[in-house]
Amino acid sequence: VSVTVAVDANGADLGPAEVLAGAVRAVEADPDLSVLLFAPAVESGHDRVRVVDAPVSVAKEPDPAAAVRRFKDASIVRAWAAVAAGDADALVSGGSTGAALAAGLFGVKRARGVHRPALAMRIPAPQTPFLLLDAGANTTVRAEHLVQFAHMGAAFARVALGIPAPRVALLSNGTEPGKGTEEVVAAHAALRDMPGFVGNVEGFTVSSGEADVVVTDGFTGNVMVKTMEGSSRAVLEAVRAAATSSARAKAGGLLLKPALGGLRAALDPELAGGAYLLGLRGLGVVPHGSFTRRGFAAAIALAARGVREDVAGSTHAALASAGALRRAPDPSAGAGTLPDR
Amino acid sequence: VSVTVAVDANGADLGPAEVLAGAVRAVEADPDLSVLLFAPAVESGHDRVRVVDAPVSVAKEPDPAAAVRRFKDASIVRAWAAVAAGDADALVSGGSTGAALAAGLFGVKRARGVHRPALAMRIPAPQTPFLLLDAGANTTVRAEHLVQFAHMGAAFARVALGIPAPRVALLSNGTEPGKGTEEVVAAHAALRDMPGFVGNVEGFTVSSGEADVVVTDGFTGNVMVKTMEGSSRAVLEAVRAAATSSARAKAGGLLLKPALGGLRAALDPELAGGAYLLGLRGLGVVPHGSFTRRGFAAAIALAARGVREDVAGSTHAALASAGALRRAPDPSAGAGTLPDR
């Protein structure tokens, strides 16, 4: 299926040219893929990467919700508008999560019955990958948001990861039902009868593989994802240092190198491409701002895969059939209300 | 200097006999160390490990604050009472952090001018160790608690870790001053002029080494510590798996094994012994409940070292001279008020 991805190139740490290089790499790898790149004047290097001149960036604005309303010509606003108009099938953001979320709520609106969109990230734990949400969209949440994230994650795991009966857990500071913040304790009580709910897990879950979906607020989720990346990097660097600490170790390191290459690739956050922004009437992918062209290419490929697998639509349908959509309009969460940064 | 450590043997996952074995190991390694072990009837195997019959445990009580008031003969209450009476110089808890904290507040009281005690844990990041607090004592905190943790951590780093000018950071979901929960943003503003304050750090800090002291609430801190342990374990296991994936890799693994042994030991949470409970009128050490005798021996040694270095007294004195003690009595944080679990 032919897919067009709208890419906001502003806000990336290495600049729009790096995002462009990623877009070219992505379309070169996929003959049915096109990119609409919203960026300050750059030359496209490929006929399936169309550059739309969009120099205004709100990626560094401290209040993204206000900024996207004020700067209608901001690249992230225009990129979401392309999705809303049907000119693109999904969005990849080069800038901040806050701006991508605010502009998405503004441009394509939240999906019917969804309290809060969430960042769903497949965590490449070596033996036991799992889906973490919210990986950073909502700094603070209420219990009912966590409950819906649990259903949203389960639905996504079924339709996009092919796990027929996903085990869903709440992240907490202890496994007992009474452990955690007020919100976690209340969400635990509300989820007790959800099919597949396995209770609370702790940070150890990254190596224990006890859950397929781990649910938390966006503050804790963001800290967890970055802690995993930092720890993996630190240990791999220490292994590398150990492998040069003596002639004997050096010889061992050389012999082991090919086998370790696969591990390094499996843990590489750039190859994972980032996280899906679920719960909007359009699919978004949020990569790290620090990615190189490799990571942006992976993010664009992730967005294309999400379109082909109808991740947004199928997740929403699964949410509906699980009865996990908000029933009555929630006055505190109308379509125009923006979540916390 | 001769030191006596009160040890609560109840609540450990492997049972009181494992804690006893750890106590015997600790005193065998330190001729000036004695242990008072509060446990259900077990036979001591060493003349410097005196077992006090204390079969009542509140380690699994869902409300530790209520439990320690109700069960005055609980082992953790009696162990803290030994510290309060001067029969022991510090405490090691085998059970839950919540019970150790609640019984400490009840038995030895919080130190003058301290809002909330906190768990301060030295994180054995391979290249860049740092102090994390709160590692799990207070599930929710107010901004002024985070501010005092920052000063408490800086004082501890100076007196106990020998870092003359520690760099202190707040853990958040972004480095900008406006990023984070309401409490983190307010604490950031209050800390702006603190000497050594370097702003917000993200979860990546475990490999970047940009701070000596990382301050957070006990929920996030607990998740972070366990995520680091889980990630390190997962990566080391994957390295081990890679080193048996082919004949060539096996040969390399054998050559590399001695060099990797040091890394494995450096990352071993049992060898670190656990975390100091700071901010009480007596020093506590909280190991993992899952530790074996090796970990409990390390925890008892950590407590003895803390007594010899006067960690509690020096940290408090440094807090006072930094002007970071609560000035007027805070009606919402009186000596009888217990923090959240």
Side-chain angles (χ1 to χ4, degrees):
Chain A
V1 183
S2 134
V3 172
T4 301
V5 176
V7 177
D8 173 17
N10 281 316
D13 294 357
L14 298 176
E18 190 71 17
V19 183
L20 169 65
V24 169
R25 191 180 278 219
V27 299
E28 277 172 355
D30 181 345
D32 294 324
L33 177 65
S34 302
V35 166
L36 273 181
L37 192 86
F38 295 82
V42 285
E43 285 285 315
S44 169
H46 196 286
D47 60 359
R48 278 184 281 117
V49 176
R50 186 152 70 83
V51 177
V52 182
D53 186 42
V56 178
S57 170
V58 294
K60 306 291 176 203
E61 290 292 324
D63 185 347
V68 300
R69 283 158 189 284
R70 204 169 140 215
F71 300 101
K72 299 278 196 319
D73 56 346
S75 53
I76 185 72
V77 175
R78 294 181 62 193
W80 271 122
V83 175
D87 297 332
D89 305 298
L91 173 136
V92 168
S93 153
S96 75
T97 302
L101 174 60
L105 287 166
F106 182 72
V108 299
K109 312 289 182 222
R110 78 186 68 201
R112 181 181 51 79
V114 168
H115 291 288
R116 295 271 191 97
L119 268 188
M121 187 166 187
R122 194 154 180 278
I123 303 294
Q127 263 86 36
T128 57
F130 61 95
L131 185 79
L132 180 77
L133 76 171
D134 178 9
N138 305 280
T139 303
T140 53
V141 298
R142 295 201 304 267
E144 70 246 47
H145 303 152
L146 292 172
V147 169
Q148 201 179 49
F149 293 169
H151 287 284
M152 196 144 71
F156 178 87
R158 272 192 298 272
V159 302
L161 305 178
I163 304 172
R167 296 158 303 157
V168 178
L170 277 172
L171 182 62
S172 192
N173 59 338
T175 54
E176 303 87 343
K179 277 296 181 87
T181 60
E182 206 179 302
E183 292 75 24
V184 170
V185 172
H188 188 116
L191 286 168
R192 204 168 293 146
D193 298 326
M194 178 194 174
F197 182 63
V198 296
N200 291 355
V201 293
E202 302 174 279
F204 301 128
T205 191
V206 55
S207 68
S208 68
E210 59 207 310
D212 300 303
V213 176
V214 173
V215 174
T216 187
D217 64 88
F219 182 84
T220 312
N222 182 285
V223 167
M224 190 186 202
V225 167
K226 291 173 178 171
T227 300
M228 284 185 284
E229 288 186 23
S231 296
S232 302
R233 196 184 308 142
V235 174
L236 284 177
E237 271 167 24
V239 168
R240 193 204 305 249
T244 54
S245 59
S246 70
R248 182 193 156 113
K250 262 181 208 161
L254 280 175
L255 288 167
L256 201 51
K257 205 171 180 184
L260 285 182
L263 174 62
R264 207 177 280 275
L267 293 176
D268 188 340
E270 292 218 24
L271 290 182
Y276 282 122
L277 186 53
L278 297 178
L280 294 170
R281 295 178 194 188
L283 186 64
V285 166
V286 178
H288 279 205
S290 63
F291 277 2
T292 66
R293 58 194 66 190
R294 225 160 52 98
F296 281 104
I300 294 165
L302 188 68
R305 201 185 321 149
V307 172
R308 288 178 180 133
E309 293 172 354
D310 188 22
V311 156
S314 308
T315 300
H316 195 261
L319 262 181
S321 70
L325 293 176
R326 177 157 54 88
R327 270 143 241 256
D330 172 351
S332 76
T337 307
L338 292 169
D340 316 55
R341 256 159 299 138
Chain B
V1 183
S2 135
V3 172
T4 300
V5 176
V7 177
D8 173 18
N10 280 316
D13 294 358
L14 298 176
E18 191 70 18
V19 183
L20 170 65
V24 169
R25 190 181 277 221
V27 299
E28 277 172 354
D30 181 345
D32 293 323
L33 178 65
S34 303
V35 166
L36 272 182
L37 191 87
F38 295 83
V42 286
E43 285 284 315
S44 168
H46 197 285
D47 60 359
R48 276 184 283 119
V49 177
R50 187 152 71 82
V51 177
V52 182
D53 187 42
V56 178
S57 170
V58 294
K60 305 293 175 201
E61 291 291 325
D63 185 347
V68 300
R69 284 159 188 284
R70 203 169 140 217
F71 300 102
K72 300 279 198 317
D73 55 346
S75 53
I76 186 72
V77 175
R78 293 182 62 193
W80 271 120
V83 175
D87 297 334
D89 305 298
L91 173 137
V92 169
S93 153
S96 74
T97 302
L101 175 59
L105 288 167
F106 182 71
V108 299
K109 311 291 184 221
R110 78 185 68 203
R112 183 182 50 80
V114 169
H115 291 290
R116 294 272 191 97
L119 269 187
M121 189 166 186
R122 194 154 180 275
I123 303 295
Q127 264 84 36
T128 56
F130 62 93
L131 186 79
L132 180 77
L133 77 172
D134 178 11
N138 306 280
T139 302
T140 53
V141 298
R142 295 201 304 268
E144 71 245 46
H145 302 152
L146 292 173
V147 169
Q148 201 179 50
F149 294 169
H151 287 283
M152 195 144 71
F156 178 87
R158 272 194 296 272
V159 301
L161 304 177
I163 304 171
R167 295 159 305 157
V168 178
L170 277 171
L171 182 63
S172 191
N173 58 340
T175 54
E176 302 87 343
K179 278 296 182 86
T181 60
E182 206 179 301
E183 292 75 23
V184 170
V185 172
H188 187 116
L191 285 168
R192 204 167 293 147
D193 298 326
M194 179 194 173
F197 182 63
V198 296
N200 291 354
V201 292
E202 302 175 280
F204 302 128
T205 191
V206 56
S207 69
S208 69
E210 60 206 311
D212 302 303
V213 176
V214 174
V215 174
T216 187
D217 64 87
F219 183 85
T220 312
N222 182 285
V223 168
M224 188 185 204
V225 166
K226 290 172 178 171
T227 300
M228 284 185 281
E229 288 185 24
S231 296
S232 302
R233 196 183 307 140
V235 174
L236 284 176
E237 271 166 23
V239 169
R240 194 205 306 250
T244 55
S245 58
S246 71
R248 182 192 155 114
K250 261 182 209 160
L254 280 175
L255 287 168
L256 202 51
K257 205 170 180 183
L260 285 181
L263 175 61
R264 206 176 280 276
L267 293 175
D268 187 341
E270 292 219 24
L271 290 182
Y276 282 122
L277 186 52
L278 297 178
L280 294 169
R281 296 181 193 186
L283 186 65
V285 166
V286 179
H288 279 204
S290 64
F291 276 2
T292 65
R293 59 193 67 191
R294 224 161 51 100
F296 281 105
I300 294 165
L302 189 67
R305 199 185 322 147
V307 172
R308 288 179 180 133
E309 292 171 356
D310 189 23
V311 156
S314 308
T315 300
H316 195 261
L319 264 180
S321 69
L325 293 176
R326 175 159 55 89
R327 272 144 238 257
D330 172 351
S332 76
T337 307
L338 291 169
D340 317 56
R341 255 161 300 140

